[in-house]
């Protein structure tokens, strides 16, 4: 059975239009894109902080020698 319940007796054209009007897949894709965008932002911030921390620890290490 489809999302709309009983589809017995529906014409192929009606099923096609029901498929085109179903926006659940679009919503799932939008949430996926939002999650991907957040992941990219987190990776960028962590990479930037990692570089800054590496520079700081290298400076501390060379000062202690």
């Amino acid at each position: 059975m489809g999302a709309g319940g009983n589809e017995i007796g529906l014409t192929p054209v009606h099923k096609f239009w029901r498929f085109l009007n179903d926006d659940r897949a679009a919503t799932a894709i939008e949430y996926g894109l939002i999650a991907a965008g957040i992941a990219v932002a987190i990776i960028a911030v962590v990479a930037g902080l990692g570089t800054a921390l590496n520079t700081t620890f290298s400076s501390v290490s060379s000062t202690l020698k």
Side-chain angles (χ1 to χ4, degrees), residues 56-65:
T56 302
F57 284 125
S58 295
S59 175
V60 170
S61 175
S62 63
T63 303
L64 292 175
K65 289 182 180 180

Side-chain angles (χ1 to χ4, degrees), residues 1-44:
M1 280 191 210
N6 189 358
E7 293 190 6
I8 296 175
L10 296 180
T11 65
V13 173
H14 189 262
K15 288 180 185 180
F16 177 72
W17 282 109
R18 180 181 282 181
F19 171 75
L20 288 181
N21 290 327
D22 187 4
D23 62 350
R24 288 178 298 165
T27 302
I29 291 171
E30 290 169 357
Y31 283 129
L33 290 173
I34 291 169
I38 292 171
V40 168
I42 289 172
I43 290 169

